Amino acid sequence: MTHKVFVYGSLMSGMCNHHIIADPTTRFLGRGWTINRRWLMYNLGEYPALVQDYDRISTNDGASVVGEVYEVSDKTLA
């Protein structure tokens, strides 16, 4: 099974952690970005996580997050 994954920051192509998602089964689908402001960044220690917060009202008070979209395998996702 494959999964579409949005990555940003150090997981993007050319960045220091891209190797984590880059394997022979990973397929680059294109650039992507968030389209609303209902996203919260969480500090998970070594890595941040971008999570949609459905309780926030969509406003123009934040910036979109720009990244890349990949199709990855179950193994890569894990």
Side-chain angles (χ1 to χ4, degrees):
M1 178 179 254
T2 60
H3 310 271
K4 290 185 176 95
V5 177
F6 172 77
V7 302
Y8 56 95
S10 67
L11 289 174
M12 292 173 60
S13 179
M15 302 301 285
C16 64
N17 287 320
H18 183 70
H19 67 277
I20 293 169
I21 65 162
D23 67 34
T25 64
T26 297
R27 189 168 67 122
F28 175 72
L29 299 178
R31 290 180 50 85
W33 53 91
T34 59
I35 59 171
N36 65 38
R37 308 300 190 251
R38 294 182 181 190
W39 296 93
L40 297 176
M41 185 81 69
Y42 288 95
N43 181 351
L44 299 179
E46 192 171 340
Y47 299 102
L50 188 66
V51 178
Q52 192 162 17
D53 181 355
Y54 293 99
D55 293 330
R56 280 182 74 185
I57 297 171
S58 183
T59 65
N60 289 326
D61 63 351
S64 292
V65 176
V66 176
E68 299 170 338
V69 180
Y70 289 88
E71 188 174 72
V72 302
S73 67
D74 286 332
K75 180 180 176 184
T76 301
L77 184 63

